[in-house]
Amino acid sequence: ILTAMKTDGRALDHATLTELRRRAVASVQSGQRPCDVADALGVQRNTVYGWLARIELAALVRLMRASAA
C-alpha cells in the first residue's frame, strides 16, 4: 500500500523520482484508481495521468519499431 508523501517531488533525486513514477504506474496497472494513487503519493492527478501517457507512448513506439523491422 502506498503512503502519503509530504515532500515536494521536485526536491527528490532522479533515482527516487524514477522509482516513485514506476510504483505509481504499477499501482494503476494493478487496478488502483489514478486519483487514489495520486492522493497516496501527494501528487496531482494529472501528474499520474501524464506518467501513464508517457508509458503508453513508449510502448506504442516500441511496437511500431518492432513491426517496421
Side-chain angles (χ1 to χ4, degrees), residues 9 12-25 51:
L12 299 174
D13 63 87
H14 179 72
T16 303
L17 188 53
T18 298
E19 180 63 16
L20 182 70
R21 290 176 180 142
R22 189 194 64 75
R23 289 183 183 197
V25 170
W51 293 341

Side-chain angles (χ1 to χ4, degrees), residues 25-66:
V25 170
S27 294
V28 173
Q29 289 175 338
S30 71
Q32 293 187 40
R33 297 182 326 158
C35 59
D36 293 337
V37 173
D39 287 343
L41 295 177
V43 298
Q44 294 292 319
R45 182 173 37 112
N46 288 344
T47 299
V48 173
Y49 281 113
W51 293 341
L52 292 168
R54 274 196 263 168
I55 294 297
E56 290 175 15
L57 180 61
L60 180 60
V61 168
R62 282 192 304 273
L63 180 63
M64 291 173 66
R65 285 182 181 161

Side-chain angles (χ1 to χ4, degrees), residues 2-13:
L2 300 172
T3 57
M5 189 174 99
K6 304 223 187 284
T7 305
D8 184 345
R10 294 172 293 186
L12 299 174
D13 63 87

